[in-house]
């Protein structure tokens, strides 16, 4: 009987040792298994059902919120007074994206065009598209600057044309007209006698070229050959570099297309991306960790140097001619129209810009550009504030005056959120707990079995009753 107990105890010792060993193996192998699954689900491959659908059709609800700077004193501005503006909005539009013309190439890249459409969401907006807004007339002021070098007689003729069509330095239209376009006799005239001067031959609107359009032909890496390259741009419209700017560094097309990034981020990681709307590559830097809907996130923000001028930040010299820090001159890619991009309300810009215009109140919380993203998968954007740009223009008195700013944000919910939460939070946590449970259970079993074995062997030697 004692011999049988001895064998059973020895068996439990073996089981305990194996269980503890399995737990120790999980400590090292578990993260490798998880990372391997992340890699498999990150590669752009039609066989990866969930991740490919997320990349192709972007089923996550995304919204664009537009804020206008309504001019309160247009007549006084013409007399030399400071512009006074009042922020109106947000006017919120649901954004629908879809990738088409998807073509995979042998060198582990894929080409596509992403089309975007916008639908007004009254319930999320503060106001309606019928609201009337007064802003600087980009058509007149832009044309005036672009025609500066023309002969005096021609400039006089065009000036008379502006008066004939009753086009002045300020424009009062509905939100819908400003967004998506309105009929303009001046546009018809310019397109007839100066073809190619304007980007559109139809209605003129600030976002007319956004709706039912694509962002160009992107060719990006699928990650099949190297997961570190996944989503990175190989070329845009066949170009591997731009020609808008003055230095090779500023003309570089860096990073991804701005929706997804390679996985396994650290606090030293940066988020570079190419923005066709900004006509350049941008880069965000790590700020702090966070949590949303139970999913751990890293927040990446725009550095203060993003729109700094060449004097304050020499690498940006190639984006000049520059004005004050905080303004990016994009006239070279906007038909030489005097258009600038900045953070909303001149956030992170030269304080002198706030002295030029009344009614601006920049704060980091409301006007900073940031992206929240899951550091391991880099596939989760519960809140994306990736396009908070403002477009100031030069007025008659050479004041940089804001017209509007917009932001894009999105969130994950429903089955997709459940899937991500399960794969990115629950399963890794279960695996981590299981490895320690196996180690503890193995050690406990081994110790108890060893004590029993020792007691049984002692009784055999000393003939215990």
């Amino acid at each position: 009987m004692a011999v049988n107990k001895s064998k059973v105890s020895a068996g439990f010792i073996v089981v305990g040792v194996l269980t503890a060993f399995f737990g120790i193996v999980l400590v090292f192998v578990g993260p490798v298994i998880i990372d391997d699954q992340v890699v498999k689900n990150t590669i752009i491959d039609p066989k990866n059902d969930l991740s490919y659908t997320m990349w192709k059709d972007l089923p996550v609800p995304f919204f664009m919120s537009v804020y206008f700077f309504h001019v309160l004193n247009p007549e006084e501005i013409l007399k030399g007074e400071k512009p006074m503006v009042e922020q109106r909005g947000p006017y919120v539009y649901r954004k629908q994206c879809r990738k088409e013309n998807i073509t995979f190439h042998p060198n582990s890249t894929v080409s596509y065009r992403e089309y975007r459409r916008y639908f007004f969401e009254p319930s999320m907006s503060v106001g309606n598209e019928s609201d009337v807004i007064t802003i600087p007339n980009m058509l007149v002021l832009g044309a005036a600057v672009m025609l500066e070098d023309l002969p005096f007689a021609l400039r006089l003729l065009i000036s008379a044309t502006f008066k004939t069509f009753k086009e002045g330095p300020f424009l009062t239209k509905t939100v819908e007209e400003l967004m998506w376009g309105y009929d303009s006799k001046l546009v018809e005239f310019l397109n007839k006698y100066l073809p190619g001067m304007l980007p559109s031959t139809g209605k003129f609107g600030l976002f007319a070229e956004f709706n039912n359009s694509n962002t160009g032909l992107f060719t990006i890496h699928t990650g099949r050959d190297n997961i570190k390259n996944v989503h990175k741009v190989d070329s845009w419209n066949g170009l591997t570099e731009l020609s808008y700017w003055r230095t090779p560094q500023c003309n570089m097309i860096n990073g991804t297309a701005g929706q997804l990034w390679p996985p396994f981020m650290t606090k030293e990681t940066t988020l570079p991306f190419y923005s066709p709307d900004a006509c350049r590559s941008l880069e965000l830097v790590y700020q702090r960790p966070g949590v949303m809907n139970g999913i751990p996130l890293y927040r990446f923000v725009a550095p203060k140097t993003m729109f700094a001028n060449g004097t304050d930040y020499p690498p940006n010299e190639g984006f000049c001619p520059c004005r004050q820090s905080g303004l990016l001159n994009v006239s070279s890619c906007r038909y030489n129209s005097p258009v600038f991009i900045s953070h909303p309300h001149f956030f992170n810009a030269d304080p002198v810009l706030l002295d030029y215009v009344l009614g601006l109140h920049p704060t980091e919380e409301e006007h900073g550009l940031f992206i929240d993203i899951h550091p391991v998968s880099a596939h989760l954007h519960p809140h994306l504030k990736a396009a908070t740009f403002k477009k100031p223009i030069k007025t008659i008195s050479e004041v940089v005056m804001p017209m509007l700013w917009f932001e894009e944000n999105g969130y994950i919910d429903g089955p997709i959120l459940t899937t991500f939460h399960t794969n990115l939070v629950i399963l890794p946590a279960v695996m981590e707990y299981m490895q320690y449970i196996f180690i503890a259970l193995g050690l406990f079993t081994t110790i108890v079995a060893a004590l029993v074995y020792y007691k049984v062997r002692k009784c055999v030697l000393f003939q215990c009753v």
Side-chain angles (χ1 to χ4, degrees):
M1 187 70 174
V3 174
N4 289 338
K5 287 185 178 181
S6 176
K7 289 182 178 180
V8 171
S9 300
F12 271 105
I13 292 174
V14 173
V15 171
V17 171
L18 290 177
T19 302
F21 179 75
F22 180 69
I24 294 172
V25 169
L26 274 183
V27 171
F28 298 98
V29 176
V32 175
I33 295 174
I34 293 174
D35 289 353
D36 184 60
Q37 287 302 309
V38 169
V39 169
K40 288 181 179 178
N41 291 323
T42 302
I43 294 172
I44 302 174
D45 188 341
K47 295 178 183 178
N48 295 338
D49 233 0
L50 176 64
S51 59
Y52 183 73
T53 300
M54 283 285 293
W55 172 79
K56 179 178 179 292
D57 295 322
L58 202 65
V60 178
F62 263 80
F63 301 91
M64 179 177 71
S65 300
V66 182
Y67 300 80
F68 286 93
F69 290 101
H70 173 65
V71 180
L72 297 173
N73 60 339
E75 298 298 328
E76 289 76 7
I77 293 173
L78 298 178
K79 296 176 184 178
E81 294 188 17
K82 281 186 179 183
M84 182 180 297
V85 298
E86 179 183 72
Q87 181 174 289
R88 298 281 179 86
Y91 299 95
V92 182
Y93 296 84
R94 178 167 51 86
K95 181 180 180 181
Q96 183 183 82
C97 296
R98 71 185 190 281
K99 292 181 175 66
E100 295 187 356
N101 308 114
I102 299 174
T103 306
F104 286 87
H105 306 293
N107 64 342
S108 298
T109 62
V110 58
S111 298
Y112 65 89
R113 291 183 182 273
E114 182 169 89
Y115 290 82
R116 51 193 177 182
R117 296 180 65 192
Y118 296 89
F119 305 89
F120 185 60
E121 293 284 352
S123 63
M124 301 176 67
S125 303
V126 178
N128 298 307
E129 283 194 307
S130 58
D131 292 353
V132 176
I133 304 288
T134 297
I135 61 172
N137 191 338
M138 275 194 68
L139 207 53
V140 171
L141 299 174
V145 172
M146 288 186 282
L147 300 174
E148 281 179 342
D149 298 328
L150 293 179
F152 175 75
L154 186 54
R155 284 189 281 125
L156 195 63
L157 174 63
I158 293 175
S159 179
T161 303
F162 289 162
K163 293 180 181 179
T164 301
F165 293 132
K166 299 181 179 179
E167 295 276 3
F170 294 95
L171 182 70
T172 300
K173 295 287 183 182
T174 66
V175 169
E176 183 177 19
E177 289 174 319
L178 292 175
M179 288 288 296
W180 312 119
Y182 57 91
D183 293 316
S184 169
K185 296 293 183 182
L186 177 59
V187 172
E188 292 180 11
F189 173 83
L190 293 175
N191 282 328
K192 182 176 181 179
Y193 294 102
L194 294 170
M197 174 183 166
L198 298 176
S200 174
T201 57
K203 292 184 176 183
F204 183 81
L206 298 172
F207 286 80
E209 63 182 53
F210 274 46
N211 213 3
N212 298 311
S213 66
N214 68 80
T215 53
L217 180 65
F218 274 94
T219 300
I220 66 174
H221 292 272
T222 63
R224 182 171 296 280
D225 58 338
N226 187 344
I227 197 61
K228 293 181 179 179
N229 291 330
V230 66
H231 301 298
K232 289 186 178 180
V233 178
D234 181 66
S235 66
W236 175 73
N237 284 339
L239 302 172
T240 56
E241 60 181 23
L242 305 172
S243 58
Y244 303 132
W245 313 110
R246 297 167 51 191
T247 63
Q249 181 180 351
C250 292
N251 277 318
M252 292 174 66
I253 298 178
N254 297 324
T256 73
Q259 292 177 343
L260 302 168
W261 280 267
F264 312 124
M265 295 178 176
T266 68
K267 295 178 181 180
E268 286 70 42
T269 301
T270 61
L271 297 189
F273 64 98
Y274 171 66
S275 170
D277 297 323
C279 308
R280 58 165 285 191
S281 296
L282 303 168
E283 188 172 53
L284 307 183
V285 297
Y286 173 83
Q287 185 191 53
R288 60 176 175 82
V291 177
M292 183 174 288
N293 293 328
I295 299 175
L297 302 169
Y298 278 0
R299 172 161 293 188
F300 290 83
V301 300
K304 291 184 178 180
T305 57
M306 178 174 283
F307 297 135
N309 61 23
T311 302
D312 291 344
Y313 187 61
N316 282 354
E317 182 65 35
F319 295 119
C320 292
C322 299
R323 294 179 66 95
Q324 296 87 349
S325 273
L327 298 174
L328 173 66
N329 186 345
V330 293
S331 59
S332 60
C333 65
R334 289 288 183 267
Y335 297 86
N336 291 320
S337 178
V339 179
F340 297 81
I341 291 177
S342 78
H343 292 298
H345 289 252
F346 295 133
F347 174 71
N348 268 350
D350 190 325
V352 73
L353 293 170
L354 296 175
D355 295 333
Y356 293 158
V357 182
L358 303 176
L360 302 180
H361 309 284
T363 65
E364 181 177 4
E365 182 179 350
E366 294 184 14
H367 307 125
L369 188 157
F370 69 87
I371 292 177
D372 286 339
I373 194 167
H374 187 270
V376 175
S377 70
H379 273 63
L380 185 58
H381 303 212
H383 184 89
L384 171 65
K385 197 172 183 180
T388 53
F389 302 121
K390 179 173 50 176
K391 298 183 178 179
I393 68 170
K394 283 196 246 180
T395 66
I396 294 173
S397 58
E398 288 294 313
V399 172
V400 179
M401 187 171 171
M403 263 196 341
L404 61 88
W405 68 276
F406 63 94
E407 67 177 346
E408 292 188 352
N409 58 74
Y411 60 88
I412 288 180
D413 61 1
I416 297 177
L417 175 61
T418 302
T419 300
F420 271 98
H421 190 267
T422 300
N423 292 336
L424 300 177
V425 179
I426 295 179
L427 289 181
V430 168
M431 186 166 289
E432 183 178 0
Y433 288 131
M434 287 300 295
Q435 64 194 24
Y436 295 121
I437 290 173
F438 277 121
I439 293 173
L441 183 61
L443 291 176
F444 178 77
T445 302
T446 302
I447 293 171
V448 171
L451 290 174
V452 172
Y453 180 81
Y454 173 76
K455 184 177 180 181
V456 170
R457 294 298 297 170
K458 184 178 179 182
C459 286
V460 170
L461 291 173
F462 295 99
Q463 297 180 345
C464 297
V465 178

